[in-house]
Amino acid sequence: MEIILILTALILSFSLVLVVVPPIIRIAKAKHLFEPFEERKVHTQVVPPLGGVAIFIGFIMSSIIATDGLRFESFKYIIAGVILMFFIGLKDDLMVISARKKFIVQILSAIILITLADIRFTNLHGIFGESNIGYLTSFSITLFTMLAIINAFNLIDGVDGLAAGLGMLAAFVFGVWFYLTQNFHLSVLAFALLGSLAAYFLYNVFGHRNKLFMGDTGSLITGLLISVFVIYFNEINLTTSKEFVVGGAPAVSFAIIIVPLIDTLRVMTIRILQRRSPFSPDRNHTHHRLLTLLHSHLKVTLTIVGGNVFLIAVALGINHWGVNVNLQLIIVFLLGCILAMIPSVILRFKASRQKFRPAKA
């Protein structure tokens, strides 16, 4: 019965997004709802940034229908958070609002989930020698984690298919694990997100007349839901059966979402060192560097998602060997940093070779 609900969420969300994208694009073209062209962006054409509207419709409709009959007390608060992300993201896509206003709404959504739905970290799994934590510490760590993941997915949306590809990977891994541990309500949500992102991915990467971008609407919704999955993954691992328990849950969940987090940390560090605002736009993201090397959005997306799969496999491997959770986190973090730096190192090497190459007579 539960597998039918999960498949319903996947198929229905995928189908809904496939159906609603063409009319959304027709409306966008008729009303001239296009993302303003900017020099730093990697596209040379105006494209509607309304993919998040389709993702929202697909996720909301399929998750409401597929969770019917399942006990899920936090569901209404998750939907409330998603709706807040939808409206602030849509306003930013169509009108452009200040980062401060967008951040305030993100905080409000996170607070709703933490306080009303009680979706929060209650245990650090031995990180820094700490386990059970008080409510204030729990609230602070959870709020920071949610905001970090939401904004990381917002910032990683720089080339076709990348944010969707990373979101699909995370939703699939969490969705399968939730199913194996019989948390079917969470698996439904994960596969509803997976189906919505998969259909959007087809239009975003392979679309011509029907091409559209995810926009802030889609990336904020995706980031919020992934942050919820991360918290539930860590909390459920405290009580789940030994057969599917992940001892180093913080390290494994970090590996699942490491690409956007490392990229955000990297670009913000560069901006601060250059004495600029950490939120100022530029082309220093890893995907921009890879695009210079590979000259293809799809190749960049597949390369980065493939690297993410590798890091997840490494995290699961060292977790299976029973490595201390702190060491697991360090290994995953260092590997993530090394992989993120490779494109820049290659570009510098090629530039130095070009500089010292003797001129032809």
PDB file of all heavy atoms in Angstrom, residues 19 23 103 108 141 207 209 211 285 291 312:
ATOM      1  N   VAL A  19       2.696  18.887 -17.589  1.00  0.00           N
ATOM      2  CA  VAL A  19       1.482  19.483 -18.155  1.00  0.00           C
ATOM      3  C   VAL A  19       1.433  20.998 -17.956  1.00  0.00           C
ATOM      4  O   VAL A  19       1.011  21.735 -18.856  1.00  0.00           O
ATOM      5  CB  VAL A  19       0.224  18.822 -17.529  1.00  0.00           C
ATOM      6  CG1 VAL A  19      -1.034  19.583 -17.903  1.00  0.00           C
ATOM      7  CG2 VAL A  19       0.121  17.368 -17.983  1.00  0.00           C
ATOM      8  N   PRO A  23       1.707  25.978 -20.533  1.00  0.00           N
ATOM      9  CA  PRO A  23       0.861  27.163 -20.312  1.00  0.00           C
ATOM     10  C   PRO A  23       1.551  28.252 -19.487  1.00  0.00           C
ATOM     11  O   PRO A  23       1.311  29.440 -19.702  1.00  0.00           O
ATOM     12  CB  PRO A  23      -0.366  26.611 -19.583  1.00  0.00           C
ATOM     13  CG  PRO A  23      -0.003  25.251 -19.128  1.00  0.00           C
ATOM     14  CD  PRO A  23       1.028  24.746 -20.052  1.00  0.00           C
ATOM     15  N   PHE A 103      15.545  37.178   3.240  1.00  0.00           N
ATOM     16  CA  PHE A 103      16.137  36.482   4.379  1.00  0.00           C
ATOM     17  C   PHE A 103      15.163  36.439   5.556  1.00  0.00           C
ATOM     18  O   PHE A 103      15.070  35.432   6.265  1.00  0.00           O
ATOM     19  CB  PHE A 103      17.441  37.171   4.778  1.00  0.00           C
ATOM     20  CG  PHE A 103      18.312  36.365   5.696  1.00  0.00           C
ATOM     21  CD1 PHE A 103      18.817  35.136   5.295  1.00  0.00           C
ATOM     22  CD2 PHE A 103      18.628  36.832   6.957  1.00  0.00           C
ATOM     23  CE1 PHE A 103      19.627  34.380   6.137  1.00  0.00           C
ATOM     24  CE2 PHE A 103      19.431  36.096   7.805  1.00  0.00           C
ATOM     25  CZ  PHE A 103      19.928  34.873   7.400  1.00  0.00           C
ATOM     26  N   LEU A 108      11.363  33.295   8.995  1.00  0.00           N
ATOM     27  CA  LEU A 108       9.990  33.036   9.431  1.00  0.00           C
ATOM     28  C   LEU A 108       9.570  31.605   9.109  1.00  0.00           C
ATOM     29  O   LEU A 108       8.976  30.906   9.945  1.00  0.00           O
ATOM     30  CB  LEU A 108       9.038  34.032   8.774  1.00  0.00           C
ATOM     31  CG  LEU A 108       7.540  33.870   9.091  1.00  0.00           C
ATOM     32  CD1 LEU A 108       7.305  33.997  10.589  1.00  0.00           C
ATOM     33  CD2 LEU A 108       6.720  34.903   8.330  1.00  0.00           C
ATOM     34  N   ILE A 141      21.007  25.866  16.263  1.00  0.00           N
ATOM     35  CA  ILE A 141      21.688  25.022  15.273  1.00  0.00           C
ATOM     36  C   ILE A 141      20.751  24.686  14.120  1.00  0.00           C
ATOM     37  O   ILE A 141      21.145  24.712  12.949  1.00  0.00           O
ATOM     38  CB  ILE A 141      22.207  23.729  15.942  1.00  0.00           C
ATOM     39  CG1 ILE A 141      23.330  24.066  16.932  1.00  0.00           C
ATOM     40  CG2 ILE A 141      22.701  22.731  14.893  1.00  0.00           C
ATOM     41  CD1 ILE A 141      23.816  22.877  17.737  1.00  0.00           C
ATOM     42  N   GLY A 207      14.790  21.668 -23.201  1.00  0.00           N
ATOM     43  CA  GLY A 207      13.737  22.466 -23.813  1.00  0.00           C
ATOM     44  C   GLY A 207      14.282  23.489 -24.789  1.00  0.00           C
ATOM     45  O   GLY A 207      15.402  23.984 -24.639  1.00  0.00           O
ATOM     46  N   ARG A 209      11.683  25.711 -27.294  1.00  0.00           N
ATOM     47  CA  ARG A 209      10.591  26.686 -27.168  1.00  0.00           C
ATOM     48  C   ARG A 209      10.031  26.715 -25.758  1.00  0.00           C
ATOM     49  O   ARG A 209       9.536  27.744 -25.299  1.00  0.00           O
ATOM     50  CB  ARG A 209       9.471  26.339 -28.154  1.00  0.00           C
ATOM     51  CG  ARG A 209       9.804  26.583 -29.617  1.00  0.00           C
ATOM     52  CD  ARG A 209       8.605  26.322 -30.483  1.00  0.00           C
ATOM     53  NE  ARG A 209       8.060  24.979 -30.272  1.00  0.00           N
ATOM     54  CZ  ARG A 209       6.900  24.554 -30.756  1.00  0.00           C
ATOM     55  NH1 ARG A 209       6.131  25.385 -31.448  1.00  0.00           N
ATOM     56  NH2 ARG A 209       6.475  23.325 -30.541  1.00  0.00           N
ATOM     57  N   LYS A 211      11.705  26.210 -22.853  1.00  0.00           N
ATOM     58  CA  LYS A 211      12.772  26.292 -21.853  1.00  0.00           C
ATOM     59  C   LYS A 211      12.388  27.307 -20.779  1.00  0.00           C
ATOM     60  O   LYS A 211      11.814  28.356 -21.065  1.00  0.00           O
ATOM     61  CB  LYS A 211      14.082  26.731 -22.508  1.00  0.00           C
ATOM     62  CG  LYS A 211      15.283  26.725 -21.564  1.00  0.00           C
ATOM     63  CD  LYS A 211      16.532  27.160 -22.310  1.00  0.00           C
ATOM     64  CE  LYS A 211      17.745  27.111 -21.417  1.00  0.00           C
ATOM     65  NZ  LYS A 211      18.101  25.733 -21.038  1.00  0.00           N
ATOM     66  N   HIS A 285      31.779  30.805  -8.932  1.00  0.00           N
ATOM     67  CA  HIS A 285      31.267  29.491  -8.537  1.00  0.00           C
ATOM     68  C   HIS A 285      32.009  28.384  -9.273  1.00  0.00           C
ATOM     69  O   HIS A 285      32.523  28.582 -10.382  1.00  0.00           O
ATOM     70  CB  HIS A 285      29.774  29.382  -8.855  1.00  0.00           C
ATOM     71  CG  HIS A 285      28.921  30.283  -8.012  1.00  0.00           C
ATOM     72  ND1 HIS A 285      28.439  29.904  -6.778  1.00  0.00           N
ATOM     73  CD2 HIS A 285      28.448  31.541  -8.224  1.00  0.00           C
ATOM     74  CE1 HIS A 285      27.709  30.879  -6.267  1.00  0.00           C
ATOM     75  NE2 HIS A 285      27.703  31.890  -7.123  1.00  0.00           N
ATOM     76  N   LEU A 291      32.290  25.302 -16.475  1.00  0.00           N
ATOM     77  CA  LEU A 291      31.691  25.654 -17.765  1.00  0.00           C
ATOM     78  C   LEU A 291      32.750  26.191 -18.722  1.00  0.00           C
ATOM     79  O   LEU A 291      32.696  25.932 -19.928  1.00  0.00           O
ATOM     80  CB  LEU A 291      30.591  26.692 -17.557  1.00  0.00           C
ATOM     81  CG  LEU A 291      29.712  27.012 -18.777  1.00  0.00           C
ATOM     82  CD1 LEU A 291      28.978  25.758 -19.261  1.00  0.00           C
ATOM     83  CD2 LEU A 291      28.699  28.104 -18.440  1.00  0.00           C
ATOM     84  N   ILE A 312      29.057  10.872  -1.514  1.00  0.00           N
ATOM     85  CA  ILE A 312      28.071  10.108  -0.728  1.00  0.00           C
ATOM     86  C   ILE A 312      28.574   8.681  -0.515  1.00  0.00           C
ATOM     87  O   ILE A 312      28.469   8.129   0.589  1.00  0.00           O
ATOM     88  CB  ILE A 312      26.702  10.090  -1.433  1.00  0.00           C
ATOM     89  CG1 ILE A 312      26.097  11.494  -1.467  1.00  0.00           C
ATOM     90  CG2 ILE A 312      25.741   9.124  -0.732  1.00  0.00           C
ATOM     91  CD1 ILE A 312      24.847  11.602  -2.324  1.00  0.00           C
TER      92      ILE A 312
END
